[in-house]
Amino acid sequence: MSAAGPSEATLRRLERASGSLATQAVARMDDSLPWFRSMPADQRSWVTLVAQAGIASLVEWCRHPGRPPRLTGEVFGAAPRELVRAVPLKQTVDLIKVTVEVVEERLGQVVEPGEAQALRLAVLKYSREVAFATAHVYASYAENRGAWDARLEALVVDALVRGERPEELPGRAAALGWAATAPVLVLVGHTAPDVDDHHSAVRRAARSLRADVLVGVHAHQLVVVLGGLPDLGPVAEKVSAEFGPGPVVRGPAVDSLAQAGDSAAAALAGLRAAVAWPGAPRPVDADALLAERALDGDPLARTALAQRVAAPLEAAGGGVLDTVRAVLGSGGNLEASARALFVHPNTVRYRLKRATELTGLSATDPRGSWTLQVALALSALDGGRSLWS
């Protein structure tokens, strides 16, 4: 300090009283800050250390006025970085305010005669420096945490895209705030060419509906993992608007993040095959693209068609499969199909209803008839010749 600053005798007295002042400051915090009383004992002890280090740093700051302040390390280095995560910035400001108030109130106990005003001015200036240091600590933490979260999120999404299931996957996601259990689904599409920050836009859309979300960008593909709500349909609809031009494919819902790789695999296969359905809705379910996926060489889609479509129709009996074949062959003409089968048109309608119940597909619907045709053709190619006998 200048010649008008506190004397060395005052600074020594302040230095000796630093422990007592810190204890009194913590006691004041306990009385005036309800949230402080609920803090764990270890965090309260860290606050005491920071307060004591702050007072000691004040003494050094007064002794060496020409030295640039290094408050970030001198003061906040007294506590682990966990304290930044445990205490929000606003509460830290409250702690500093209480500590400064206690020091100002106890000045009369430590100053030499006639130096109270000089020390009070020093405390005022020093508290401003501490405020700047506090802002720096929290800004640095936020920046580092943001960069770490981005890397961690990229690792999680990349593992899902690759079909990996590392044991640490749930823990990594939990560190990012992921709390969802079931259901979980994956959306994939192309990135928007005029958007620099796809992550923020997608997060805003998903979190506006209170959904958990993870976002990854792979080349020009945008991969979004959604969870946290019983019905993710509305979230998928809203998030789809943040994708670039082209199809957006929604993978099937799975029971947990550990199984989200299955949803991602189906969605990515659907994205590759979606070019074969130009009029697909957006988003479109990966299961609605089973026919296109199978023709594109997706073995999972081919297996799904065999198990969900061909096999149930074969096992149905009662002419259900023959009726489906006839209707497909007649272009959906029920009367012509009835004549070919020598049955009443109502019998055709009944059998088609049964086929729809078994497969979820209607032979009179354009998409349904297309998927049925592909499923039955692939089944025959796989050796199911008896289906056509």
Side-chain angles (χ1 to χ4, degrees), residues 219-304:
H220 298 296
Q221 290 181 346
L222 181 60
V223 181
V224 178
V225 186
L226 299 174
L229 295 173
D231 181 10
L232 293 170
V235 186
E237 294 280 348
K238 185 163 188 175
V239 169
S240 294
E242 304 302 333
F243 284 75
V248 176
V249 183
R250 175 172 51 196
V254 294
D255 291 336
S256 68
L257 187 65
Q259 298 173 301
D262 297 336
S263 183
L268 290 167
L271 185 63
R272 290 191 296 269
V275 64
W277 185 9
R282 180 183 156 114
V284 58
D285 286 334
D287 282 357
L289 289 159
L290 284 176
E292 288 81 4
R293 289 166 51 194
L295 293 177
D296 192 45
D298 179 7
L300 295 177
R302 192 160 182 155
T303 299

Side-chain angles (χ1 to χ4, degrees), residues 64-104:
H64 306 283
R67 189 195 70 178
R70 295 176 296 187
L71 304 182
T72 300
E74 293 176 351
V75 179
F76 296 100
R81 290 189 62 83
E82 286 81 356
L83 188 61
V84 180
R85 291 195 289 268
V87 184
L89 176 58
K90 182 181 182 303
Q91 294 181 349
T92 300
V93 171
D94 291 339
L95 297 178
I96 294 172
K97 181 180 178 182
V98 169
T99 303
V100 171
E101 288 175 351
V102 169
V103 172
E104 288 183 329

Side-chain angles (χ1 to χ4, degrees), residues 27-389:
R28 176 76 61 83
M29 296 171 195
D30 194 68
D31 291 336
S32 60
L33 303 174
W35 56 265
F36 182 77
R37 292 192 293 271
S38 63
M39 289 178 65
D42 58 341
Q43 294 178 8
R44 289 162 59 93
S45 68
W46 295 340
V47 172
T48 304
L49 289 174
V50 171
Q52 187 167 353
I55 297 171
S57 181
L58 166 64
V59 174
E60 290 301 309
W61 186 74
C62 291
R63 281 175 173 157
H64 306 283
R67 189 195 70 178
R70 295 176 296 187
L71 304 182
T72 300
E74 293 176 351
V75 179
F76 296 100
R81 290 189 62 83
E82 286 81 356
L83 188 61
V84 180
R85 291 195 289 268
V87 184
L89 176 58
K90 182 181 182 303
Q91 294 181 349
T92 300
V93 171
D94 291 339
L95 297 178
I96 294 172
K97 181 180 178 182
V98 169
T99 303
V100 171
E101 288 175 351
V102 169
V103 172
E104 288 183 329
E105 291 174 5
R106 303 296 190 274
L107 287 181
Q109 302 174 6
V110 297
V111 298
E112 292 292 320
E115 295 188 20
Q117 184 59 29
L119 185 55
R120 184 171 288 108
L121 180 60
V123 170
L124 178 62
K125 292 180 178 179
Y126 178 77
S127 64
R128 182 182 61 185
E129 298 292 341
V130 170
F132 286 132
T134 303
H136 175 75
V137 168
Y138 276 84
S140 298
Y141 172 76
E143 182 178 357
N144 293 335
R145 179 59 188 264
W148 169 250
D149 284 355
R151 290 193 295 270
L152 188 59
E153 185 175 31
L155 286 173
V156 171
V157 176
D158 185 65
L160 296 177
V161 170
R162 293 175 180 274
E164 301 172 359
R165 296 189 180 185
E167 294 181 358
E168 61 271 18
L169 184 63
R172 289 176 176 175
L176 293 168
W178 181 273
T181 53
V184 175
L185 63 80
V186 177
L187 277 178
V188 298
H190 299 290
T191 56
D194 56 345
V195 176
D196 295 327
D197 187 0
H198 299 88
H199 295 71
S200 296
V202 170
R203 286 196 187 94
R204 282 195 299 270
R207 290 174 178 169
S208 68
L209 297 179
R210 302 184 182 278
D212 285 344
V213 60
L214 298 173
V215 188
V217 176
H218 291 254
H220 298 296
Q221 290 181 346
L222 181 60
V223 181
V224 178
V225 186
L226 299 174
L229 295 173
D231 181 10
L232 293 170
V235 186
E237 294 280 348
K238 185 163 188 175
V239 169
S240 294
E242 304 302 333
F243 284 75
V248 176
V249 183
R250 175 172 51 196
V254 294
D255 291 336
S256 68
L257 187 65
Q259 298 173 301
D262 297 336
S263 183
L268 290 167
L271 185 63
R272 290 191 296 269
V275 64
W277 185 9
R282 180 183 156 114
V284 58
D285 286 334
D287 282 357
L289 289 159
L290 284 176
E292 288 81 4
R293 289 166 51 194
L295 293 177
D296 192 45
D298 179 7
L300 295 177
R302 192 160 182 155
T303 299
L305 288 174
Q307 294 177 345
R308 302 179 196 175
V309 180
L313 290 177
E314 182 181 29
V320 173
L321 179 57
D322 289 339
T323 300
V324 170
R325 288 168 46 203
V327 172
L328 292 176
S330 68
N333 190 316
L334 300 189
E335 286 73 16
S337 301
R339 288 194 298 271
L341 295 169
F342 303 103
V343 298
H344 193 278
N346 285 342
T347 302
V348 173
R349 293 185 178 91
Y350 170 78
R351 291 175 179 175
L352 289 182
K353 180 181 178 182
R354 177 62 178 152
T356 300
E357 292 172 349
L358 291 170
T359 65
L361 301 169
S362 171
T364 59
D365 171 77
R367 285 296 303 175
S369 63
W370 159 247
T371 304
L372 286 165
Q373 285 178 315
V374 172
L376 295 176
L378 291 176
S379 179
L381 292 173
D382 286 341
R385 303 296 177 178
S386 61
L387 296 179
W388 301 94
S389 61

